[in-house]
Amino acid sequence: MDNAIPVLLLITVVGYMAGSIPNFTSVGSLADMSRQIGEFGLIVIGMTVVMLAGGIDLSVGSTFALADFTVLALVSVAKWPIALAIAAAVAVGALVGLINGLLIGYLRLRAFLTTLVMLTLVRAVVELLLQLYSVQIASSDVESDFWDFIGTGSVLGAPFSFVVLIATAIAAHFVLTRLRAGWRIMAVGGSRRSAYNAGIPVRRTVCQSYVVSGVLTSLAGVLYAARLSGAGPDTGIGLELTVVTAALLGGNSVGGGRGSIGKALIGAIIVSLLTNGLVRLGLQNGASSMVTGFVLLLAIAIDVRWAKWRYKLQSKVYVSPAYLALPPTPPIDAESSSPYAVNDRLSAVEIIGLGEVDGPEDVILDAADNLYCSVRQGDIIRFLAPDYTRREVYAHVGGRPLGLAFDRDQSLVVCIAGMGLYRVDEQRNIRKLTAETNRSRFSIIDDSRMRLADDLDIAQDGRVYFSEATIRYGFEEWVVDALEGRGNGRIIRYDPATGATRTILRNLLFANGMCIAHDNRSVLFAETWGCRLSRYWLDGPKKGTVEILISDLPGYPDNINRGSRGTYWVALAGTRTPAYDLAMTMPAFRRRMARRVAGDEWLFPNVNVGCVVHFDESGRILDSLWDLTGKNHPAITSMREHRGYLYLGGVTNNRIGRIGLPDADPEWTGPTSYWGGRP
Amino acid sequence: MFWGGVSRALLVRDQEKVVLLIAITLFCCFSIFLNGFISAGNLLTLVRSVSILGILGVGMAFLVIGRGIDLSIVAIYAMSAAWTLHLANAGVSIPLAMLLGYLLALAAGVINGVLIAYVEVPALFATLGMASLVYGFARYALVPLVVVYMPAGASGIAWVGGGFVFGVPIPILLFALIALLGHAFLRFTKPGRFIYAIGDNFAAARISGAPVRPIIVLQCVLSATIAYLAGMITATAVSSMDTNVTNSSMIYDVILVVVLGGIGLSGGRGGIRNVIVGTLLIGILLNGMTIMNVQYTLQNVIRGLILLAAIVIDSILNPRDELTAQQGDI
């Protein structure tokens, strides 16, 4: 989308020029033009690198002239070998870049003015040098095939400078998108402070970007020198304007972080064609200055407004609610005979860690009865058995840790929203398992990256089955996904044996809780906005198929976990309301709401009151536990049974609850259920 | 930290005095060592030669105090005056030619202001693009000549640049007058105070109810108006206007005058007094170098180095405020 306008503009300009200038598309004309684009494009790439890092380099015009002078003086007057002279000229450019970088990166001067001053300073130096040597340069001639090849030679029909440009562009693209140095530049430009906090050497990175610009500019100067063999006082005058215009016009953003080498090339080609075409249209002096100024103003105005309106526009277009008809709600009245009938059994919970945990989305217990939970600060908190009064930060994993599970080695595997699937071993070493899956073929947004890994469970063969709630929103935007009611979720399988990550189920309505069945032949999963639980067969005759287990929950299911005696638990994070259910059948209404009404006035799904539901292998509801008073655990997102107790966590709670289960097997624990007794 | 802050505060307040001291020291040195420097004729020449710079500095100061900058001031200065002369040459009556010339300057100023205030383009970019646009448009459509001479029939306004009052050249008096008016505007009028508020903390000024956008447009209009006045003074003083001045380093001299005098580029500080001090220092320096017969290109290098030093010192004395500086504020 960002590239559409520049590309359209390019096509328009080419079309206009081709139509109005005779011989515009002839081979000779194209070769000549691409040679100039080669030189110009190099400088634009340098400028783009600087702009991506959040700066600007206006000194390019003078650096260009200085490099041009240096290489000519060294080759024709000092009679240096050509390769050495070129190296010296590039070194001079790098030096100018380094001075810029030291002043702006390390002394933190303002980039615009500093490079503007460097522009005049270097220009004055060039004029001083020209006074001394210009006659000698003009009177001597360079006799060298290599020199002529640089200036006028071709590689496979393409002018040498154009080939240099393409090679540089590919290399620069690779560095910016694949290598650490490039990522650092993008990070610094994207948010200087965050980059600093993330440990990136901001000052050095900024400094480097100017050196890159200096090197590329001087390279262009060398190519120019070889082509024209002239150094005059007007070399490179006003170049900085056209270069900045090109970089901006391609869609690179002032202030950094957004942009690419591809954009730089598009901009470079448009501006070269434009200025070149104006000359060939025979317009008088001043015209190119006028057009450059106008295009610059236009480009920056679009850039500024686009950056500002982008999110507004996006939020208007992006949210796309779908039609979702839920089955009728089962009764939950206290008087009804429904298994979901509200009761007050949770008012008897014991409280663990009141005020010491912030949003324990998931809770889990290890074989030694210690209690773990994932909290908002990006920590895994551990409460030590037997009384759970001692609290420690077990590991700081960052992100927003959600679902937890123990694997065969007693390592904690954790789903982290915004990061992916991670593993914390018994020595508390944190390791990323996976953060990317296969990209779906026709998806417009890049869904290979995991935005909201939610819950997981581990099969006997060690494969991790985990859910990603939605591919379209981050954790803090879950409510927008609820508003969409669209199948944005998916289930992903990570195989530690091969390291492969595959998406196995798509289009789920906020895929949430995951639980491997007791017989290890299937995995149960919850779809929160669909209010249903389903079973995905891992083995047996129905392998690879999905069947719905419970289709009409009275609320929004969250985590599912095993219970003793072959049963399961599921937490309902909230209960359905008639108004919201009705709204889900009216996508146009919800779209209008998303566009017209401020976010905090939207219709919300009720996530204030929920319960814990107990069910068996066949999906029959055995029981439900509610907190009628709403004091302790009105909203519950997870629960674990352990030695006759049920431990409760909630994504908005400040405590963990525990309640005795009279009917449960007092010896049953999760780790033994999954991995048997520990040797 | 505390003592650093105190000494910095002292330095900021004293930068003007330091510059003045340097100017006086240079003045004394030149008076002693350079023949003919101290003569009344040379001194008048000195001030006269920089009075245009000083006038443009006043215009620039309005924007810099409001944390902006006007890189198009020289282009407006040259092109509006050149067009006026060209129109007069073509037979348009002098008042009408002057009016049209001023309208060109005014249009450029208003567009600058709208771009900065309403479209929210950074001032640096808006005025950089505008400089190119004004020069290119004027050269392309309005003024076909590189150097435009004053018509013979315009002797009625020749006194502006060439006249004397009590032996003092009128450009110097006009510089004094514009500086005085500018000072009064900044100190005693409500818009003037708002400019300081905007420069100090734009967001705070805005939520306090200052009409920030109209004020920014006003700044640009004032700067364009002053640029036009300076252009007419130059045109009448040397009976011509060289449009190439747009592409010269004059714009940096204007910035130099403002920054050297002690108006911080981060805005909110300084006043017209600083412009005068900066102008005098530059005048003494340039005049001294010319008497010493320093080559023009070398003078350029020296001026560039001084400007660089001035910006480095400025950024140390007036560090950018991390709270009010914005991402992408380059």
Side-chain angles (χ1 to χ4, degrees):
Chain A
M1 180 123 180
D2 276 7
N3 285 335
I5 298 171
V7 168
L8 270 179
L9 193 62
L10 177 61
I11 293 168
T12 317
V13 169
V14 171
Y16 178 72
M17 295 291 175
S20 54
I21 300 175
N23 297 328
F24 186 78
T25 49
S26 72
V27 177
S29 156
L30 285 182
D32 195 40
M33 215 143 46
S34 54
R35 204 177 286 283
Q36 288 177 35
I37 290 175
E39 291 160 15
F40 185 66
L42 280 176
I43 312 176
V44 177
I45 289 178
M47 179 69 80
T48 301
V49 170
V50 171
M51 280 170 63
L52 285 175
I56 195 162
D57 186 358
L58 296 178
S59 66
V60 289
S62 301
T63 311
F64 179 79
L66 186 62
D68 173 49
F69 169 83
T70 307
V71 75
L72 279 178
L74 290 180
V75 167
S76 60
V77 180
K79 302 293 179 198
W80 282 27
I82 285 165
L84 202 60
I86 291 175
V90 171
V92 166
L95 182 70
V96 176
L98 185 66
I99 296 172
N100 277 330
L102 289 176
L103 290 173
I104 297 161
Y106 287 94
L107 285 179
R108 290 194 295 162
L109 300 193
R110 294 159 66 107
F112 200 103
L113 280 167
T114 310
T115 53
L116 206 58
V117 173
M118 284 303 285
L119 173 76
T120 57
L121 197 56
V122 175
R123 172 67 59 190
V125 170
V126 170
E127 278 172 4
L128 203 62
L129 291 169
L130 276 174
Q131 270 188 344
L132 302 175
Y133 297 107
S134 63
V135 178
Q136 281 168 278
I137 291 175
S139 59
S140 56
D141 204 20
V142 185
E143 296 280 335
S144 159
D145 289 342
F146 181 50
W147 185 244
D148 291 342
F149 174 72
I150 296 174
T152 55
S154 299
V155 181
L156 300 174
F160 180 72
S161 69
F162 195 69
V163 174
V164 172
L165 171 68
I166 296 302
T168 310
I170 292 171
H173 178 76
F174 185 74
V175 171
L176 278 178
T177 56
R178 302 286 190 279
L179 298 188
R180 179 181 295 170
W183 282 30
R184 285 183 167 174
I185 285 176
M186 300 296 272
V188 168
S191 171
R192 215 182 142 101
R193 202 173 301 179
S194 304
Y196 178 79
N197 289 341
I200 293 173
V202 171
R203 296 181 176 195
R204 198 169 74 209
T205 306
V206 169
C207 181
Q208 280 164 354
S209 71
Y210 288 94
V211 175
V212 169
S213 168
V215 167
L216 291 180
T217 306
S218 53
L219 212 57
V222 168
L223 292 170
Y224 178 84
R227 179 162 63 94
L228 295 180
S229 284
D234 56 349
T235 306
I237 288 270
L239 186 64
E240 62 284 344
L241 262 185
T242 44
V243 169
V244 170
T245 307
L248 279 175
L249 199 60
N252 296 302
S253 199
V254 174
R258 286 191 294 122
S260 69
I261 298 301
K263 291 181 162 78
L265 288 184
I266 294 173
I269 294 173
I270 298 177
V271 171
S272 313
L273 289 181
L274 214 57
T275 46
N276 192 299
L278 287 175
V279 173
R280 289 172 59 179
L281 280 173
L283 291 185
Q284 292 150 9
N285 39 28
S288 78
S289 211
M290 175 174 77
V291 171
T292 310
F294 181 73
V295 174
L296 174 62
L297 288 180
L298 193 72
I300 185 137
I302 291 173
D303 174 57
V304 168
R305 294 325 296 188
W306 176 243
K308 194 162 179 181
W309 285 338
R310 187 170 192 217
Y311 295 103
K312 264 190 202 169
L313 276 172
Q314 232 173 33
S315 66
K316 283 198 195 283
V317 183
Y318 192 76
V319 179
S320 80
Y323 175 82
L324 176 64
L326 294 172
T329 320
I332 58 169
D333 299 334
E335 292 79 26
S336 68
S337 57
S338 154
Y340 301 113
V342 293
N343 54 57
D344 203 18
R345 291 171 56 188
L346 284 187
S347 62
V349 294
E350 300 167 45
I351 303 294
I352 296 170
L354 178 64
E356 292 180 340
V357 286
D358 186 354
E361 203 270 349
D362 199 5
V363 292
I364 195 166
L365 293 103
D366 66 10
D369 302 340
N370 298 312
L371 172 63
Y372 301 76
C373 64
S374 50
V375 298
R376 197 173 63 87
Q377 287 86 349
D379 295 330
I380 311 281
I381 302 285
R382 173 156 85 164
F383 289 95
L384 294 165
D387 54 359
Y388 305 120
T389 51
R390 279 182 300 150
R391 166 191 181 276
E392 64 169 358
V393 174
Y394 180 66
H396 178 75
V397 292
R400 175 50 162 120
L402 297 171
L404 304 168
F406 277 109
D407 70 6
R408 198 182 288 279
D409 312 327
Q410 293 288 312
S411 295
L412 197 57
V413 183
V414 50
C415 278
I416 308 178
M419 288 169 68
L421 190 67
Y422 282 68
R423 180 175 185 266
V424 184
D425 68 16
E426 273 188 300
Q427 285 73 45
R428 308 189 184 189
N429 299 315
I430 302 167
R431 190 163 69 85
K432 181 177 88 175
L433 295 181
T434 180
E436 273 183 66
T437 179
N438 51 313
R439 181 172 177 166
S440 40
R441 200 156 297 157
F442 298 110
S443 165
I444 290 173
I445 58 167
D446 183 0
D447 62 354
S448 60
R449 199 164 50 101
M450 286 168 204
R451 287 190 162 202
L452 186 58
D454 197 331
D455 193 25
L456 75 158
D457 211 351
I458 304 170
Q460 286 302 300
D461 57 7
R463 290 176 171 187
V464 181
Y465 292 87
F466 63 104
S467 58
E468 188 181 23
T470 167
I471 57 170
R472 280 166 61 80
Y473 298 96
F475 179 73
E476 68 285 358
E477 297 170 307
W478 62 268
V479 74
V480 192
D481 193 75
L483 188 73
E484 281 201 351
R486 182 179 285 280
N488 296 329
R490 58 182 172 178
I491 288 174
I492 302 169
R493 180 184 63 211
Y494 168 74
D495 189 343
T498 61
T501 308
R502 298 296 296 179
T503 304
I504 53 175
L505 282 178
R506 296 181 200 282
N507 304 330
L508 306 176
L509 291 155
F510 208 83
N512 205 324
M514 302 286 295
C515 183
I516 303 283
H518 283 285
D519 62 1
N520 293 310
R521 287 159 58 104
S522 62
V523 55
L524 309 184
F525 63 88
E527 287 177 84
T528 300
W529 312 135
C531 302
R532 65 186 176 215
L533 304 187
S534 309
R535 185 193 292 278
Y536 174 75
W537 289 97
L538 305 175
D539 201 4
K542 296 180 190 166
K543 183 176 177 181
T545 60
V546 175
E547 59 183 28
I548 291 179
L549 188 65
I550 304 173
S551 65
D552 59 342
L553 287 167
Y556 303 109
D558 205 306
N559 290 339
I560 313 173
N561 291 119
R562 287 184 189 177
S564 62
R565 304 189 205 283
T567 60
Y568 300 92
W569 297 96
V570 60
L572 298 190
T575 37
R576 288 161 59 179
T577 55
Y580 202 80
D581 285 357
L582 182 64
M584 293 312 276
T585 63
M586 299 159 71
F589 159 72
R590 281 177 287 139
R591 185 178 303 123
R592 204 157 65 241
M593 179 173 80
R595 288 182 191 178
R596 298 282 177 82
V597 182
D600 50 0
E601 308 218 4
W602 285 354
L603 192 60
F604 259 60
N606 162 33
V607 287
N608 293 328
V609 178
C611 65
V612 178
V613 173
H614 199 191
F615 63 97
D616 68 8
E617 195 72 53
S618 66
R620 188 169 59 92
I621 309 300
L622 303 172
D623 210 353
S624 56
L625 308 177
W626 296 76
D627 180 5
L628 256 189
T629 56
K631 279 185 185 148
N632 284 324
H633 280 87
I636 298 156
T637 57
S638 68
M639 71 273 108
R640 298 273 175 179
E641 186 179 332
H642 191 84
R643 296 196 199 283
Y645 282 95
L646 193 65
Y647 295 81
L648 306 164
V651 72
T652 53
N653 294 353
N654 65 347
R655 65 197 74 187
I656 294 169
R658 146 170 131 143
I659 188 164
L661 297 170
D663 300 335
D665 176 352
E667 290 308 310
W668 188 92
T669 70
T672 45
S673 167
Y674 278 89
W675 313 114
R678 236 190 158 184
Chain B
M1 268 315 280
F2 175 73
W3 287 112
V6 168
S7 62
R8 178 183 294 155
L10 283 175
L11 267 173
V12 169
R13 213 178 49 215
D14 281 349
Q15 188 184 345
E16 182 195 328
K17 282 180 193 156
V18 170
V19 173
L20 192 61
L21 206 68
I22 294 173
I24 292 171
T25 315
L26 269 179
F27 184 81
C28 295
C29 290
F30 287 163
S31 310
I32 295 167
F33 297 113
L34 293 181
N35 271 338
F37 179 82
I38 194 70
S39 73
N42 183 53
L43 289 185
L44 280 181
T45 315
L46 186 160
V47 181
R48 185 179 173 159
S49 68
V50 291
S51 59
I52 296 296
L53 218 51
I55 294 173
L56 289 174
V58 172
M60 181 72 92
F62 290 144
L63 271 118
V64 174
I65 291 171
R67 205 187 291 176
I69 199 162
D70 189 353
L71 298 177
S72 62
I73 196 166
V74 172
I76 297 175
Y77 149 88
M79 302 324 285
S80 59
W83 193 39
T84 305
L85 294 189
H86 181 71
L87 285 174
N89 274 326
V92 179
S93 74
I94 300 284
L96 184 61
M98 285 177 67
L99 180 68
L100 288 173
Y102 177 58
L103 285 181
L104 176 68
L106 193 63
V110 169
I111 296 173
N112 268 338
V114 169
L115 282 175
I116 297 168
Y118 292 92
V119 189
E120 295 174 10
V121 174
L124 285 160
F125 281 101
T127 54
L128 185 70
M130 185 52 68
S132 180
L133 181 60
V134 166
Y135 171 76
F137 174 71
R139 280 304 309 280
Y140 176 65
L142 307 177
V143 188
L145 303 167
V146 177
V147 182
V148 190
Y149 292 96
M150 201 157 76
S155 52
I157 55 168
W159 59 268
V160 175
F164 290 86
V165 174
F166 304 122
V168 181
I170 288 185
I172 297 178
L173 295 175
L174 285 173
F175 173 35
L177 180 68
I178 288 173
L180 199 66
L181 289 176
H183 180 75
F185 170 73
L186 282 176
R187 290 287 153 188
F188 304 119
T189 69
K190 215 182 271 178
R193 300 316 298 172
F194 282 152
I195 290 177
Y196 280 94
I198 291 168
D200 215 21
N201 189 334
F202 180 84
R206 184 170 200 171
I207 52 179
S208 311
V212 287
R213 284 176 159 172
I215 291 287
I216 289 175
V217 177
L218 178 70
Q219 288 171 19
C220 294
V221 166
L222 282 178
S223 140
T225 307
I226 289 174
Y228 177 69
L229 288 177
M232 287 317 292
I233 295 169
T234 306
T236 48
V238 298
S239 299
S240 68
M241 179 49 91
D242 181 1
T243 57
N244 272 335
V245 75
T246 305
N247 300 323
S248 73
S249 59
M250 184 164 175
I251 182 67
Y252 310 110
D253 290 341
V254 178
I255 298 175
L256 186 57
V257 158
V258 171
V259 176
L260 208 58
I263 299 182
L265 283 168
S266 48
R269 296 197 180 86
I272 300 302
R273 252 190 6 213
N274 303 67
V275 177
I276 297 172
V277 172
T279 310
L280 289 180
L281 178 59
I282 289 299
I284 293 168
L285 213 61
L286 293 184
N287 189 279
M289 286 199 291
T290 308
I291 293 181
M292 283 189 285
N293 210 9
V294 176
Q295 230 177 22
Y296 179 68
T297 44
L298 191 59
Q299 281 192 21
N300 272 341
V301 176
I302 293 171
R303 269 188 299 181
L305 285 173
I306 294 174
L307 183 52
L308 195 61
I311 292 182
V312 170
I313 293 169
D314 174 61
S315 80
I316 293 168
L317 293 182
N318 305 313
R320 296 165 72 186
D321 187 344
E322 285 295 333
L323 287 175
T324 53
Q326 288 178 342
Q327 174 83 25
D329 178 17
I330 51 178

